């Protein structure tokens, strides 16, 4: 299972709120809700998150068995 707890840690560390992700970076509230619920998101979305947060995929996702 892929979980996104690291994403929220990165956002907090960089001072980026969910509001800013929606208003400034153009993410939909639905996308952020899917991430919050650890549901499926596209690789395009993951790539955009890494670009905006200036991090790698390992910084925002974790695979748990």
């Amino acid at each position: 299972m892929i979980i996104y707890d690291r994403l929220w840690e990165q956002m907090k560390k960089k001072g980026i709120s969910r509001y800013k992700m929606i208003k400034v970076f153009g993410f939909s509230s639905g996308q952020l809700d899917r991430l919050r619920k650890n549901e499926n998101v596209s690789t395009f979305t993951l790539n955009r998150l890494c670009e905006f947060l200036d991090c790698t995929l390992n910084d925002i996702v974790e695979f748990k068995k």
Side-chain angles (χ1 to χ4, degrees):
M1 173 188 342
I2 295 175
I3 60 171
Y4 300 101
D5 293 343
R6 292 180 182 177
L7 168 63
W8 311 116
E9 293 169 9
Q10 280 292 319
M11 287 173 58
K12 184 176 181 179
K13 184 171 123 178
K14 296 183 184 246
I16 298 174
S17 67
R18 293 179 75 184
Y19 179 82
K20 186 172 185 178
M21 292 297 287
I22 294 167
K23 294 298 181 185
V24 176
F25 297 129
F27 284 89
S28 72
S29 59
Q31 287 173 315
L32 293 177
D33 193 47
R34 284 190 298 278
L35 289 161
R36 185 181 59 80
K37 294 177 181 177
N38 294 317
E39 294 178 350
N40 294 331
V41 294
S42 70
T43 53
F44 177 78
T45 297
L46 295 174
N47 187 58
R48 285 182 63 209
L49 287 167
C50 290
E51 287 175 357
F52 292 134
L53 296 173
D54 190 31
C55 64
T56 67
L57 189 58
N58 288 334
D59 294 328
I60 62 172
V61 300
E62 180 180 357
F63 181 75
K64 287 200 174 184
K65 291 184 181 184

